[in-house]
Amino acid sequence: MTKIALITGATSGIGNATALELASKGYRIIATGRRQERLQELQQKLGAEQVYPLMFDVRERETVQQAIDSLPEAWRNVEVLVNNAGNAHGLSPIQDGSLDDWDAMIDINVKGLLYVTKAVLPLLQKAKKAHIVNVGSIAGKEVYPNGNVYCASKHAVDALSKAMRLDLVQQGIKVSEVNPGLVETEFSEVRFKGDSARAATVYQGYEPLQAQDIAELIGFIVTRPAHVNLAEVLVLPTAQASSTIVHKQ
Ligand code: NDP
Ligand code: 8X3
């Protein structure tokens, strides 16, 4: 039977590239996100046999549970969960931060990841082999100026990844955490609320990572032999040494 991977945030960036990468490795993909038209585009590209679009907002816990409960029998044998949906909202000193931005980051990056995990775990527990891959960040390893709440949300993902590994080890469920540095996606567009010019500056003067780089890493992680778990990977552009040290030309 073909393996099934459920990927959150499959409508753009890392999640979309991961959907394509895992599909190329023979996985059937449950692709989730809020933008239905992008989920449908993915399904049209790969076919209804390989992609099942499932639209939901990870912040809405009842909707998350209902969406997972609604999966047809043929799509319930989920072996891989990629918790990727997330974003930064704003980049301000703590004294100037917006409460709405803080709520968004904690609700999506932390609570959303928990709601999805809670809803999908019963399916993973029934699978022969199961693997959760959480997309954290270098921001979950270091704090940088003005990154305050985003960094806190990704530190939470780091803690939760370790905690899941401890709690699920007896059930043979692998838990991996992928922590990228700067990846050129829609991330900065969202962080700067559609200011494309400002977003572009984040990726200028050096070669950033691309979503495909992270997708290939996730593809590698989920295809290791049963006895191997890549627990944590920090992956940076060559020009990046830390959150704040980037060698720009
Ligand atoms: P993108 O903005 O390109 O993608 C974010 C994805 O998250 C979209 O598919 C979006 O789908 C989904 N998403 C956001 N909010 C919600 C929500 N409320 N409910 C459901 N889905 C949601 O950014 P990236 O691909 O870069 O980000 C993916 C992950 O990688 C995030 O967790 C981010 O923190 C992390 N990361 C990114 C880095 C970077 O430099 N780009 C570096 C390190 C980590 P939709 O809008 O359709 O709902
Ligand atoms: C995204 C990378 O450095 O913009 O998590 O926080 S960074």
Side-chain angles (χ1 to χ4, degrees):
M1 204 192 304
T2 320
K3 293 176 183 175
I4 297 174
L6 188 150
I7 301 170
T8 65
T11 55
S12 90
I14 294 169
N16 187 258
T18 302
L20 293 169
E21 181 65 20
L22 295 193
S24 79
K25 292 186 177 301
Y27 282 83
R28 291 161 72 214
I29 308 295
I30 300 169
T32 85
R34 290 166 301 176
R35 285 170 287 181
Q36 174 79 348
E37 67 291 352
R38 292 207 186 179
L39 296 175
Q40 272 158 358
E41 266 169 41
L42 189 64
Q43 191 189 41
Q44 275 155 16
K45 198 179 217 170
L46 298 176
E49 279 295 301
Q50 209 167 9
V51 174
Y52 188 86
L54 196 61
M55 186 185 65
F56 59 82
D57 186 325
V58 297
R59 288 173 293 192
E60 295 169 9
R61 64 188 204 188
E62 280 87 14
T63 314
V64 171
Q65 188 62 58
Q66 282 161 10
I68 301 305
D69 289 346
S70 78
L71 283 170
E73 206 46 47
W75 286 91
R76 299 190 72 78
N77 187 30
V78 178
E79 289 195 7
V80 172
L81 166 63
V82 182
N83 276 318
N84 161 77
N87 265 135
H89 293 261
L91 183 69
S92 307
I94 198 92
Q95 59 274 25
D96 298 335
S98 139
L99 294 181
D100 286 343
D101 285 346
W102 294 358
D103 278 348
M105 290 184 279
I106 291 170
D107 289 350
I108 299 167
N109 301 355
V110 184
K111 291 165 70 181
L113 179 147
L114 285 168
Y115 296 158
V116 173
T117 304
K118 176 82 172 165
V120 176
L121 257 172
L123 306 185
L124 295 173
Q125 284 164 329
K126 280 190 200 133
K128 252 183 162 178
K129 285 196 297 180
H131 201 155
I132 299 173
V133 181
N134 292 329
V135 179
S137 172
I138 189 172
K141 296 288 175 181
E142 299 173 22
V143 177
Y144 53 86
N146 304 326
N148 42 68
V149 177
Y150 178 69
C151 294
S153 75
K154 288 298 181 177
H155 275 69
V157 173
D158 187 42
L160 288 170
S161 301
K162 292 180 168 77
M164 287 180 194
R165 203 157 39 244
L166 295 177
D167 293 346
L168 296 171
V169 71
Q170 304 292 349
Q171 301 184 22
I173 299 178
K174 293 188 195 182
V175 180
S176 303
E177 185 189 13
V178 174
N179 295 311
L182 292 152
V183 190
E184 190 173 18
T185 62
E186 293 176 17
F187 178 85
S188 292
E189 287 261 349
V190 174
R191 167 168 259 174
F192 300 128
K193 304 175 197 309
D195 183 342
S196 307
R198 188 173 177 201
T201 63
V202 175
Y203 309 110
Q204 280 163 5
Y206 70 101
E207 191 173 346
L209 293 169
Q210 298 299 322
Q212 181 61 22
D213 297 316
I214 310 305
E216 286 173 16
L217 180 58
I218 293 172
F220 182 77
I221 288 171
V222 301
T223 53
R224 290 312 82 211
H227 67 291
V228 179
N229 182 26
L230 275 163
E232 281 186 31
V233 183
L234 177 69
V235 51
L236 305 175
T238 302
Q240 183 174 21
S242 75
S243 280
T244 51
I245 306 291
V246 181
H247 179 62
K248 293 197 175 191
Q249 302 292 336

